[in-house]
């Protein structure tokens, strides 16, 4: 039998090089989370299917077409999470976070799953990080969420960032706008793509999101939601823009930005790089306010705002623009070479002593030839090599060889760690 197993379509193995970039992104998130006092949450990868149907929205592409859903052996309807917000909200309600001081600030970083058409930069298993702030209606929260994502991207080296922003109003404003939009679209439906023809009745706002050129053209003359905002939503949006002005965050009002998910109320935003390249790449981060979601999932009415960003997309750009980020802990500082049986055995303990002392030691204990080991040391570009030969092992000594000069000293085995630390100028 000739079995050739492969990763499922749209999913792939992640190797160290990818993780080095992912870790860089995660570090920037974690750094920002500490500054703005968000705490980490990791919700289960499987959630009750209903939280996405009710939350993300039954008529969205994610729920209609892209979910990996299953019925468990116990009969539960479960779904591999396609996005982070509904799970965080479920956790907020389940763990009684309504009773905690507001806002409750949570952030996450992990894998998500969407059964999308395979295409460049879009995967069926991908990673997102997200920040969610629950419990406060004030637009100062929206401004903080936008600032956090802006800062993370800036810390990662992105330049010319631009926030595209809009308000989709509350459920009442949205209902009024839907009517106006449906009226406009009905008379033009022959010009829309097949999907959008179907969307007119079920979810006309999604048509504003359609990437088909003919739909984009029709969109250009459509009524704008900002003209249908009630006073409260209008003031919220106005205040938010004033906060962004105050912070000096560059934004562009985009009257047709709605984003693909049903739960957004008032603010929606995306962050792009404002260059030709950046527009091609698409949004680096996106989010908005979701004041109705907690109630929709069974909690007390709770205003909230959050956003998410795709890690693969950001990491791919970093990979093109910067040298591979290797954390200091991964850089080998010293190499331990050994010759002979006694030396090999003594090396085992010596290696552990160095590791415990926080010195990163390279080794090739499976090799016997000194020259083969020195070749590896050379490749690792270490400053010092410790050579433990037969004689040194018997005398409880070790040779320290400085690679640059070729100078060698013999030191007591017991003093080797301290001596190397001194030479590497590490605190003992
Ligand atoms: P969304 O949750 O659809 O608003 O997407 C937020 C970000 O997640 C996007 O800007 C993408 O970078 C990323 N993203 C969404 N879907 C995928 C996917 N299938 N593959 C890779 N990245 C994705």
């Amino acid at each position: 039998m000739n079995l050739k197993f492969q990763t499922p379509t749209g999913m792939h193995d992640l190797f160290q090089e990818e993780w080095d970039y992912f870790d860089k992104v995660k570090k920037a998130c974690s750094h920002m989370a500490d500054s703005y006092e968000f705490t980490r949450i990791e919700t289960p990868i499987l959630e009750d299917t209903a939280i996405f149907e009710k939350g993300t929205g039954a008529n969205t592409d994610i729920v209609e077409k892209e979910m990996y859903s299953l019925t468990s052996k116990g009969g539960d309807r479960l779904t591999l999470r396609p996005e982070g917000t509904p799970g965080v909200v479920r956790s907020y309600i389940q763990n009684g976070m309504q009773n905690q001081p507001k806002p409750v600030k949570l952030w996450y970083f992990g894998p998500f799953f969407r059964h999308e058409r395979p295409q460049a930069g879009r995967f069926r298993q991908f990673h997102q990080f997200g920040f969610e702030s629950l419990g406060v209606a004030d637009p100062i929260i929206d401004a903080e969420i936008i600032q956090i994502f802006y800062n993370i991207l800036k810390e990662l080296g992105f330049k010319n960032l631009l926030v595209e922003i809009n308000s989709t109003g509350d459920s009442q404003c949205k209902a009024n706008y839907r009517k106006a939009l449906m009226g406009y679209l009905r008379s033009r439906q022959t010009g829309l793509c097949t999907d959008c023809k179907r969307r007119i009745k079920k979810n006309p706002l999604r048509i504003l999101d359609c990437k088909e050129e003919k739909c984009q053209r029709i969109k250009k003359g459509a009524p704008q939601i900002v003209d249908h905002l009630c006073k409260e939503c209008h003031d919220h949006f106005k205040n938010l823009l004033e906060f962004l002005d105050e912070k000096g965050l560059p934004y562009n009002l985009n009257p047709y930005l709605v984003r693909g998910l049903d739960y957004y109320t008032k603010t929606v935003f995306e962050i792009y790089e404002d260059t030709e390249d950046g527009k091609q790449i698409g949004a680096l981060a996106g989010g908005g306010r979701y004041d109705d979601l907690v109630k929709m999932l069974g909690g007390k009415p709770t205003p909230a705002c959050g956003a998410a960003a795709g890690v693969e997309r950001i990491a791919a750009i970093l990979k093109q623009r910067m040298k591979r980020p290797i954390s200091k802990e991964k850089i080998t500082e010293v190499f331990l070479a050994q010759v002979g049986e006694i030396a090999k055995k003594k090396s085992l303990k010596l290696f552990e002593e160095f590791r415990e002392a926080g010195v990163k030691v390279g080794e090739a204990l499976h090799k016997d030839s000194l020259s083969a080991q020195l070749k590896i040391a050379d490749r690792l570009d270490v400053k010092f090599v410790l050579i433990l030969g037969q004689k040194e092992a018997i005398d409880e000594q070790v040779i320290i060889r400085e690679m640059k000069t070729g100078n060698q000293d013999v030191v007591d085995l017991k003093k080797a760690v301290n001596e190397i630390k001194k030479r590497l100028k590490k605190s003992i």
Side-chain angles (χ1 to χ4, degrees):
M1 213 174 3
N2 184 17
L3 288 176
K4 272 199 183 156
F5 293 119
Q6 298 206 331
T7 48
T9 308
M11 301 190 183
H12 57 273
D13 301 312
L14 283 174
F15 298 105
Q16 187 61 56
E17 189 173 359
E18 273 93 27
W19 280 114
D20 286 339
Y21 287 97
F22 277 29
D23 284 345
K24 178 145 184 88
V25 177
K26 195 160 160 196
K27 236 187 223 158
C29 293
S30 163
H31 183 198
M32 226 44 73
D34 291 344
S35 298
Y36 291 87
E37 299 186 311
F38 281 67
T39 58
R40 180 85 193 261
I41 181 170
E42 207 51 66
T43 56
I45 285 172
L46 279 171
E47 292 274 4
D48 192 322
T49 300
I51 73 167
F52 304 111
E53 290 170 344
K54 286 197 165 138
T56 314
N59 295 321
T60 56
D61 275 359
I62 290 184
V63 174
E64 267 186 346
K65 303 181 190 163
E66 297 171 359
M67 294 208 301
Y68 283 91
S69 298
L70 59 99
T71 305
S72 74
K73 291 205 165 64
D76 297 328
R77 287 176 66 235
L78 302 174
T79 291
L80 287 175
R81 55 184 195 182
E83 57 130 344
T85 308
V88 171
V89 169
R90 189 265 315 132
S91 175
Y92 176 88
I93 300 166
Q94 180 179 346
N95 294 296
M97 291 186 223
Q98 282 121 312
N99 304 320
Q100 288 178 13
K102 308 290 185 319
V104 172
K105 298 176 171 193
L106 302 164
W107 77 282
Y108 59 82
F109 187 112
F112 292 86
F113 304 83
R114 293 183 196 173
H115 194 273
E116 296 207 55
R117 191 166 54 79
Q119 51 190 304
R122 291 199 90 75
F123 310 104
R124 291 184 175 173
Q125 177 174 347
F126 59 98
H127 294 72
Q128 282 189 340
F129 61 86
F131 283 68
E132 313 283 357
S133 180
L134 299 108
V136 174
D138 194 299
I140 199 82
I141 299 294
D142 314 33
E144 182 175 275
I145 292 285
I146 294 171
Q147 176 91 63
I148 287 171
F149 279 82
Y150 188 88
N151 290 356
I152 290 172
L153 292 167
K154 210 168 135 205
E155 189 170 312
L156 291 170
F158 286 86
K159 297 196 178 77
N160 303 311
L161 291 168
L162 180 68
V163 182
E164 293 265 319
I165 195 161
N166 192 22
S167 173
T168 60
D170 59 19
S171 51
Q172 190 55 51
C173 309
K174 243 193 227 175
N176 295 340
Y177 176 61
R178 264 174 76 108
K179 261 191 225 148
L181 186 61
M182 274 162 94
Y184 170 84
L185 292 170
R186 273 216 185 94
S187 56
R188 291 163 179 83
Q189 58 175 306
T190 44
L192 293 170
C193 74
T194 328
D195 266 352
C196 284
K197 277 186 189 131
R198 194 174 45 84
R199 282 174 183 143
I200 291 188
K201 245 181 152 170
K202 279 164 98 184
N203 198 355
L205 264 70
R206 281 284 291 116
I207 298 174
L208 302 178
D209 229 14
C210 181
K211 301 285 175 278
E212 292 278 337
E213 212 181 306
K214 49 186 177 181
C215 303
Q216 292 256 341
R217 253 199 319 271
I218 289 180
K219 173 179 105 174
K220 282 199 179 117
Q224 300 188 357
I225 194 157
V226 278
D227 297 327
H228 293 78
L229 296 182
C230 67
K231 178 157 184 349
E232 195 208 316
C233 290
H234 180 272
D235 288 350
H236 183 98
F237 194 35
K238 185 168 159 279
N239 288 336
L240 170 58
L241 297 181
E242 283 169 10
F243 293 142
L244 297 184
D245 285 333
E246 207 57 46
K247 284 167 172 285
L249 291 180
Y251 63 83
N252 177 40
L253 298 178
N254 177 346
Y256 299 119
L257 180 69
V258 285
R259 303 204 17 87
L261 317 178
D262 271 5
Y263 50 64
Y264 286 120
T265 51
K266 298 181 178 162
T267 314
V268 284
F269 75 92
E270 288 180 341
I271 305 181
Y272 287 79
E273 251 190 334
D274 192 18
T275 57
E276 265 321 300
D277 221 20
K279 278 176 205 137
Q280 285 286 316
I281 291 164
L284 297 167
R289 187 160 268 286
Y290 48 94
D291 289 345
D292 299 337
L293 185 57
V294 180
K295 184 162 177 262
M296 273 154 72
L297 296 185
K300 289 187 211 141
T302 306
C305 186
V311 181
E312 276 80 358
R313 186 172 286 184
I314 293 173
I317 300 168
L318 294 184
K319 207 167 171 176
Q320 286 168 12
R321 297 186 186 169
M322 64 184 280
K323 209 162 96 225
R324 181 171 168 184
I326 300 180
S327 68
K328 273 200 196 115
E329 298 85 62
K330 287 209 186 92
I331 297 171
T332 306
E333 301 172 286
V334 189
F335 190 86
L336 173 56
Q338 38 71 43
V339 189
E341 272 313 298
I342 305 174
K344 187 181 255 189
K345 283 184 184 145
K346 288 214 164 156
S347 294
L348 296 173
K349 198 157 157 239
L350 193 60
F351 178 87
E352 293 302 323
E353 280 171 14
F354 273 99
R355 194 189 54 71
E356 279 171 20
V359 179
K360 176 87 170 68
V361 185
E363 48 80 16
L365 295 177
H366 57 286
K367 291 207 183 290
D368 296 326
S369 137
L370 182 62
S371 70
Q373 294 178 69
L374 290 179
K375 254 189 214 151
I376 298 173
D378 230 19
R379 244 191 354 248
L380 288 169
D381 201 22
V382 289
K383 283 204 180 95
F384 302 101
V385 177
L386 293 152
I387 304 170
L388 197 56
Q390 191 79 349
K391 177 176 181 312
E392 289 78 27
I394 293 167
D395 295 347
E396 292 284 320
Q397 289 185 317
V398 64
I399 297 168
I400 298 180
R401 176 189 179 122
E402 189 177 353
M403 292 300 272
K404 206 167 157 192
T405 58
N407 290 344
Q408 295 195 164
D409 297 305
V410 179
V411 299
D412 284 350
L413 209 47
K414 280 203 187 90
K415 293 186 183 153
V417 171
N418 281 356
E419 183 57 33
I420 285 290
K421 276 191 139 186
K422 210 158 47 189
R423 293 191 187 199
L424 290 169
K425 293 212 174 56
K426 285 200 159 202
S427 56
I428 297 169

